[in-house]
Amino acid sequence: DSRQQWRFSFTDITGRKRAEERIAQLIRLQTILAGIDHAIVHIPDRQKLLDEVCRVAVDKGGFRLAWVGMVASDGSVQPVAQAGATGYLEGIRVVTHDVLEGRGPVGMAIRENRPVVIEDIDQSACMAPWRDRAQRFGLHYVAAFPIRIAGKAVGAFQFYAPRADFFDENELGLLTQVSDDLSFALTALSDFTARKEAEAALRRSEYNLLNFFNYAPIGLEWLSAGGNILRANQAQLDLLGYP
């Protein structure tokens, strides 16, 4: 009877401990999501936004390293924002092509447009190009999530976990949402930037056209669809003798 009671107590304590760990995880996940969504809403600058989401992932999420890589014109993936053990990224080579340096989590996440998890960097064959580097910085577990702009994978968000079995269903669900939210924000910023650039180009074009019209050595008139004179340049006014 005493052994049965001891087993019951042990099971009860274990169950309670798991419940507490589960609650702590949910609180942590919500803290990460809230911090990143707050940054997305309040930081309109692209670089500052990327810097902040990496900082939140490390400071609030407990990740050893978080970094965002974007695809360059030559197919390489360039780190553009990072926090944590950033020395790992110095001189790193990652590409999106289906070659050795492109078969890690980052290259696959971008090329295949899906999350990729490496449960053990030390044992994973695809991490061979970066294994020694990762061991020097105490990095053993990584997950990469594609970043999309207008639906196209243009980069990836990487998270390096502090312990084994970290990327469970809840963790992956949160990080997928984080990368989706970031993708949405970057798409909006890209559209906004493109619109502003187009507006600036239009203003420059109109300014140049108006300058040409005003200072042309020949007489020019700007007519409405109905044939009315809307504007005449000085050369035309001089030619016609208009005041």
Side-chain angles (χ1 to χ4, degrees):
D1 292 341
S2 61
R3 284 180 296 180
Q4 291 177 351
Q5 181 63 36
W6 180 83
R7 290 196 196 98
F8 174 79
S9 299
F10 178 80
T11 302
D12 183 58
I13 292 170
T14 302
R16 186 168 65 248
K17 186 173 185 299
R18 287 176 179 169
E20 291 172 352
E21 290 174 350
R22 166 76 169 143
I23 292 171
Q25 182 192 37
L26 292 176
I27 292 173
R28 175 183 147 278
L29 294 178
Q30 288 305 313
T31 300
I32 299 171
L33 187 60
I36 289 179
D37 283 349
H38 182 273
I40 287 172
V41 170
H42 291 93
I43 302 178
D45 181 82
R46 179 179 182 270
Q47 186 59 54
K48 291 179 180 178
L49 172 60
L50 295 177
D51 290 339
E52 179 63 9
V53 296
C54 289
R55 186 198 67 78
V56 169
V58 171
D59 291 352
K60 305 295 185 184
F63 292 100
R64 296 184 62 85
L65 169 65
W67 66 283
V68 173
M70 303 298 284
V71 181
S73 57
D74 62 356
S76 63
V77 181
Q78 300 298 321
V80 296
Q82 56 273 316
T86 57
Y88 170 79
L89 300 173
E90 294 180 5
I92 196 169
R93 174 169 168 75
V94 180
V95 300
T96 57
H97 315 310
D98 189 14
V99 296
L100 192 60
E101 290 87 356
R103 293 173 187 151
V106 177
M108 285 194 295
I110 297 172
R111 189 170 59 252
E112 300 177 11
N113 198 11
R114 65 177 180 87
V116 176
V117 178
I118 303 297
E119 294 288 357
D120 189 348
I121 292 175
D122 297 340
Q123 302 299 322
S124 174
C126 73
M127 289 297 295
W130 312 282
R131 184 178 298 123
D132 291 343
R133 176 191 296 263
Q135 289 174 346
R136 289 201 307 272
F137 290 92
L139 304 175
H140 303 284
Y141 323 98
V142 60
F145 298 80
I147 292 176
R148 309 174 184 91
I149 292 182
K152 179 182 178 181
V154 297
F157 199 175
Q158 288 66 240
F159 304 86
Y160 293 75
R163 56 176 174 78
D165 302 319
F166 194 84
F167 296 110
D168 61 13
E169 182 179 356
N170 296 315
E171 201 74 31
L172 292 177
L174 169 98
L175 297 179
T176 297
Q177 184 173 349
V178 164
S179 62
D180 288 346
D181 289 354
L182 183 58
S183 296
F184 178 82
L186 292 178
T187 297
L189 285 175
S190 177
D191 290 344
F192 177 78
T193 300
R195 186 169 65 253
K196 288 298 182 183
E197 288 175 350
E199 290 172 353
L202 178 59
R203 286 194 297 271
R204 289 193 300 270
S205 177
E206 290 174 342
Y207 175 79
N208 292 335
L209 177 61
L210 192 58
N211 270 347
F212 170 77
F213 179 88
N214 287 335
Y215 299 108
I218 60 174
L220 296 174
E221 292 177 349
W222 210 314
L223 304 179
S224 71
N228 296 319
I229 298 176
L230 301 177
R231 183 189 294 268
N233 70 353
Q234 191 60 48
Q236 182 72 343
L237 296 177
D238 294 341
L239 179 66
L240 298 178
Y242 291 162

